[in-house]
Amino acid sequence: MKITVIGKSPAWQDAGGACSGYLVEEGDTTLLVDCGNGVFGKLREYVDYAAVDAVVVTHLHSDHCIDLIPYSYALSYSPRARAFPHPRPTLYAPPGGRDVFRQITGAWNAPELVEQAFCLIEYEPQQELTLGPLTISFHEVPHFIRTHAVKVTSAGGSFTFGADCCPNEALVEFARGTDLLMIEATLGAPEEGGKRGHLTWAEAGAHGRAAAARRLVLTHIAADDDLARARADAEREFGRPIEIAVEGATYNI
Ligand SMILES: [Zn+2]
Ligand SMILES: [Zn+2]
């Protein structure tokens, strides 16, 4: 299983960058996890977007799903659209996703844009999905809206993406022993006041250690943040070297 970082920015993309998007490939099977702003154009540098088997969305914040809109336009109206294979890519959205997409694109009177472009299925987080040689499972994690961590398992091992979350045990249990944990590390220090929704660099390291992840990659982090301190904070808690996601990085499991 090969994982490529298509985009790793937090809610605003880096210069020339993209928000959340991770390409998972095994044999002929292609899966995109999240499709945030900037991801669609970057995806095209790696694969034929019409040949992606499935897109899985962790949650319905814009930095994780908004490029489904240009993706839908391409599947519907591009010069190649008529020749695209059927069925189209399957879009596994969180429960309630259909209504959210209808609201967004309904603002310009195209409420069914996304569901007509993709084969849209709202996943049941308790149920595993099978995609060729890949098994996809979900676990809810605490964030500002309903959000699911995703684990992709193949014969070679497992890749876990923590999505966006505040400190929690659920992710630790879900990711236990995973070969690669891609974990959000948005913050240098905890949010002050109000509900927490993200992890600090140190917390990301601590979660990786508690989960006994074999390899830990920090993501959802801005390129102009203090990456040296992020690395130091995370490694101190993880107890071993970590990596910080960069676009185009690949990981083999
Ligand atoms: Zn979010
Ligand atoms: Zn996010």
Side-chain angles (χ1 to χ4, degrees), residues 9-11 19-20 34 58-59 61-64 143 163-164 184 186 198 220:
S9 298
C19 294
S20 189
D34 276 351
T58 60
H59 66 300
H61 274 156
S62 60
D63 55 320
H64 297 255
H143 186 46
D164 287 356
E184 75 122 298
T186 313
H198 292 286
H220 208 268

Coordinates of all heavy atoms in Angstrom, one line a residue, residues 9-11 19-20 34 58-59 61-64 143 163-164 184 186 198 220, ligand 2:
S9 N -2.2 21.0 4.4 CA -2.3 22.3 5.1 C -3.5 22.2 6.1 O -4.4 21.4 6.0 CB -2.6 23.4 4.1 OG -1.5 23.5 3.2
P10 N -3.5 23.1 7.1 CA -4.7 23.3 7.9 C -5.8 24.0 7.1 O -5.7 23.9 5.9 CB -4.2 24.1 9.1 CG -3.0 24.9 8.6 CD -2.4 24.0 7.5
A11 N -6.7 24.7 7.7 CA -7.9 25.2 7.0 C -7.6 26.2 5.9 O -8.4 26.6 5.1 CB -8.9 25.7 8.0
C19 N -5.1 21.7 1.1 CA -5.6 21.2 2.4 C -5.7 19.7 2.4 O -5.1 19.0 1.5 CB -6.9 21.9 2.8 SG -6.6 23.6 3.1
S20 N -6.4 19.1 3.3 CA -6.3 17.7 3.6 C -6.7 16.8 2.3 O -7.7 16.9 1.7 CB -7.3 17.4 4.7 OG -7.2 16.0 5.1
D34 N -10.2 12.3 2.0 CA -10.4 13.8 2.1 C -10.1 14.5 0.8 O -9.3 14.0 0.0 CB -9.6 14.4 3.2 CG -10.3 14.3 4.6 OD1 -11.5 13.9 4.6 OD2 -9.7 14.6 5.6
T58 N -13.6 12.5 5.9 CA -13.6 12.3 7.4 C -14.7 13.2 8.0 O -15.3 12.8 9.0 CB -12.3 12.7 8.0 OG1 -11.9 14.0 7.7 CG2 -11.2 11.8 7.5
H59 N -14.8 14.4 7.5 CA -15.8 15.3 8.1 C -16.1 16.5 7.1 O -15.3 16.6 6.2 CB -15.5 15.8 9.5 CG -14.3 16.7 9.6 ND1 -13.0 16.3 9.2 CD2 -14.1 18.0 10.1 CE1 -12.1 17.3 9.4 NE2 -12.8 18.3 9.9
H61 N -15.9 19.8 7.2 CA -15.3 21.1 7.2 C -14.7 21.3 5.8 O -14.3 20.4 5.1 CB -14.2 21.2 8.2 CG -14.7 21.6 9.6 ND1 -14.0 21.3 10.7 CD2 -15.8 22.3 10.0 CE1 -14.7 21.8 11.8 NE2 -15.8 22.4 11.3
S62 N -14.7 22.6 5.4 CA -14.3 22.9 4.0 C -12.9 22.4 3.7 O -12.7 21.9 2.5 CB -14.4 24.4 3.7 OG -13.5 25.1 4.6
D63 N -12.0 22.4 4.6 CA -10.6 22.0 4.3 C -10.5 20.5 4.1 O -9.4 20.0 3.8 CB -9.6 22.5 5.3 CG -10.0 22.1 6.8 OD1 -11.1 22.2 7.1 OD2 -9.0 21.8 7.5
H64 N -11.6 19.8 4.3 CA -11.6 18.3 4.1 C -12.5 17.9 3.0 O -12.5 16.7 2.6 CB -11.9 17.6 5.4 CG -10.9 17.9 6.5 ND1 -10.0 16.9 6.9 CD2 -10.7 19.0 7.2 CE1 -9.2 17.5 7.8 NE2 -9.6 18.7 8.0
H143 N -14.4 16.5 17.7 CA -14.0 17.7 17.0 C -15.2 18.7 17.0 O -16.1 18.4 17.7 CB -13.6 17.3 15.5 CG -13.0 18.4 14.7 ND1 -12.0 19.2 15.1 CD2 -13.3 18.7 13.4 CE1 -11.7 20.0 14.1 NE2 -12.5 19.7 13.0
A163 N -7.8 12.3 11.2 CA -8.7 13.4 10.9 C -8.4 14.6 11.8 O -7.2 14.8 12.2 CB -10.2 13.0 11.0
D164 N -9.4 15.4 12.1 CA -9.2 16.5 13.0 C -9.8 16.1 14.4 O -10.9 15.6 14.4 CB -9.9 17.8 12.6 CG -9.3 18.5 11.4 OD1 -8.2 18.0 10.9 OD2 -9.9 19.5 10.9
E184 N -3.2 14.9 13.0 CA -3.2 16.3 12.9 C -2.4 16.9 14.1 O -2.4 16.4 15.2 CB -4.6 16.8 12.9 CG -5.3 16.8 14.3 CD -5.7 18.2 14.8 OE1 -4.9 19.0 14.9 OE2 -6.9 18.3 15.0
T186 N -2.1 20.7 14.7 CA -2.4 22.1 14.2 C -1.7 23.1 15.0 O -1.4 24.2 14.5 CB -3.9 22.3 14.1 OG1 -4.5 21.1 13.5 CG2 -4.3 23.5 13.4
H198 N -8.5 20.7 18.3 CA -7.3 20.3 17.6 C -6.3 19.8 18.6 O -6.4 20.1 19.8 CB -6.8 21.4 16.8 CG -7.7 21.7 15.6 ND1 -7.7 20.9 14.5 CD2 -8.5 22.8 15.4 CE1 -8.6 21.5 13.6 NE2 -9.1 22.6 14.1
H220 N -1.7 18.5 8.9 CA -2.6 19.6 9.2 C -1.9 20.7 9.9 O -2.3 21.3 10.9 CB -3.8 19.1 10.1 CG -5.1 19.8 10.0 ND1 -5.4 20.9 10.8 CD2 -6.1 19.6 9.2 CE1 -6.6 21.3 10.5 NE2 -7.1 20.6 9.5
Ligands
ZN2 ZN -9.1 20.5 9.1

